[in-house]
Amino acid sequence: MPEGDTVWNTARVLHRALAGARITSSDFRVPQLATTDLTGWTVRESASRGKHLLLRLSAPDEAPWTLHSHLRMDGAWRAYAPGERWNGRPAHLIRVVLRSPGAVAVGYHLHEMALVPTAEEDRLVGHLGPDLLGPDWDAAEAVRRLADHPEQTIGEALLDQRNLAGVGNLYKCEVLFLRGVSPWTPVDAVPDLPGMVALAQRLLAANRGRWTQSSTGSLHRGQTSYVYGRRAQPCRRCGTAIRKEELGERVTYWCPVCQPERPGPPAPG
């Protein structure tokens, strides 16, 4: 399940494989780009913005363009050596193949693919909140955006990429556990919103550069999370069985003892 750090890692893999290379052939398997031919284009860089991946290119006339893709829940990019077997996903999930003299980049089950002038990237990612792993990360702005939705549950607000970009369901659950906050707490009842935002950024940054995501500090199988994916298992702090329930359109994991529900502020009289 791609989260901000996974997409950041993916962007780095593509950058190492393709940056500076000239594309020798391209094969798009999505209707909106089916006739697009990037042969002769040069890859300038690969970057991430939240859960969006931006492959920046130069056309033969040097005009800058961006190939955009969204990984959502199940998308992935893989880089292979020429002649290497493509074993990342089943072939019917391939959405694009980019070949260069030194590497082959294959995109599986990608979403929202688009090719736009780089100057128009904001049409695709301008709605996003501050990127937790971006060079322009702005914690104060992320807190402000969260606070603009006081009645929304904090569990849903953390997943809203318009507030802050990069938090997925795993980090949502882990951050809320570590802060001792119930996922159903209204945003305006969260005791320390800046502290929660800071913790989310630290967790993603700590996992940047590796594929095993851990909030506990351990990389051993079955020991990487406090609550996520641990339904009915004992809480690592208090021993209470971890619960799993739907919140909005996603499931959430939490400890009912370590994350007690707090009443919201009294209604205005």
Side-chain angles (χ1 to χ4, degrees):
M1 181 184 301
E3 307 216 8
D5 54 340
T6 305
V7 183
W8 190 94
N9 290 343
T10 300
R12 301 288 82 72
V13 168
L14 289 182
H15 188 85
R16 289 194 294 268
L18 296 176
R22 189 173 298 274
I23 297 174
T24 56
S25 71
S26 64
D27 176 13
F28 287 93
R29 304 180 188 181
V30 291
Q32 67 271 26
L33 295 175
T35 61
T36 300
D37 184 4
L38 300 183
T39 301
W41 293 42
T42 300
V43 179
R44 294 186 292 118
E45 66 174 334
S46 173
S48 62
R49 183 84 168 84
K51 299 184 182 184
H52 300 249
L53 197 139
L54 306 168
L55 198 61
R56 296 183 177 123
L57 313 163
S58 291
D61 63 359
E62 300 300 321
W65 288 78
T66 297
L67 178 62
H68 167 273
S69 59
H70 195 305
L71 302 191
R72 289 194 189 173
M73 299 280 288
D74 47 9
W77 280 91
R78 296 286 187 270
Y80 302 101
E84 182 181 358
R85 182 180 178 184
W86 304 350
N87 55 6
R89 299 282 178 87
H92 71 273
L93 295 178
I94 293 175
R95 299 293 179 264
V96 60
V97 180
L98 302 176
R99 297 179 183 272
S100 74
V104 181
V106 182
Y108 298 92
H109 216 265
L110 303 176
H111 304 268
E112 301 176 26
M113 294 197 69
L115 183 65
V116 301
T118 298
E120 299 178 17
E121 279 184 6
D122 270 2
R123 287 201 292 112
L124 303 173
V125 298
H127 65 288
L128 298 173
D131 183 350
L132 289 105
L133 296 181
D136 56 350
W137 164 243
D138 186 339
E141 175 62 13
V143 171
R144 185 194 68 78
R145 292 188 180 214
L146 286 167
D148 276 348
H149 306 279
E151 297 180 356
Q152 189 176 29
T153 68
I154 186 61
E156 294 172 295
L158 287 174
L159 289 180
D160 190 335
Q161 302 298 295
R162 295 169 296 183
N163 294 330
L164 64 171
V167 172
N169 213 30
L170 183 154
Y171 287 116
K172 174 205 76 176
C173 295
E174 295 296 286
V175 166
L176 291 174
F177 173 81
L178 288 167
R179 297 297 299 181
V181 175
S182 165
W184 287 268
T185 304
V187 169
D188 62 354
V190 173
D192 182 8
L193 207 53
M196 181 170 293
V197 167
L199 176 59
Q201 197 278 333
R202 287 199 302 272
L203 280 182
L204 266 77
N207 284 300
R208 181 173 50 190
R210 66 187 184 203
W211 297 102
T212 300
Q213 297 162 310
S214 174
S215 55
T216 63
S218 173
L219 299 180
H220 295 293
R221 185 182 181 92
Q223 299 178 20
T224 58
S225 68
Y226 286 102
V227 293
Y228 185 80
R230 300 189 64 243
R231 183 178 67 86
Q233 297 182 47
C235 174
R236 299 191 191 280
R237 282 181 175 169
C238 72
T240 303
I242 299 300
R243 294 185 185 178
K244 172 186 175 183
E245 193 170 327
E246 289 188 4
L247 173 60
E249 297 180 354
R250 305 286 290 277
V251 299
T252 193
Y253 298 85
W254 86 105
C255 172
V257 172
C258 295
Q259 298 168 262
E261 291 193 46
R262 295 182 175 91

